[in-house]
Amino acid sequence: AVTQRETDRREFFHEVTKHLDAIGSEAIVLYYVDRLSLQEIGVRFGVTESQAGRILCNSRRKLQLRWRSEDLW
């Protein structure tokens, strides 16, 4: 069963990633909420583990840049 904490965590990550593209947002959620490995994320997206890592890295970079521009970082 899914706990309230897990639900809250998922909602938080969806909120902070809403400006990312769908794949970037989902990669963040799969990695940080569902705790999937890069290999598992790659399988889900139909890409290599390396490509999944680049998607995740680029998504994190976009979040950092946005937060810095809004003085949140």
Side-chain angles (χ1 to χ4, degrees):
V2 176
T3 66
Q4 184 61 45
R5 181 180 173 143
E6 291 169 327
T7 299
D8 291 346
R9 185 174 167 89
R10 181 173 300 283
E11 288 175 8
F12 168 80
F13 275 96
H14 277 295
E15 182 64 27
V16 299
T17 62
K18 67 182 177 185
H19 68 281
L20 296 176
D21 59 42
I23 290 177
S25 177
E26 188 65 15
I28 294 280
V29 171
L30 290 172
Y31 190 77
Y32 290 105
V33 178
D34 297 334
R35 305 206 188 281
L36 267 60
S37 68
L38 292 176
Q39 182 179 16
E40 292 168 318
I41 293 169
V43 168
R44 178 141 330 166
F45 290 161
V47 300
T48 66
E49 181 177 353
S50 177
Q51 290 168 316
R54 282 194 294 277
I55 291 168
L56 187 61
C57 182
N58 289 336
S59 299
R60 284 191 300 238
R61 187 174 299 120
K62 288 176 186 176
L63 285 175
Q64 289 174 344
L65 290 172
R66 182 175 180 102
W67 292 346
R68 283 184 182 138
S69 72
E70 296 178 7
D71 289 328
L72 298 174
W73 186 262

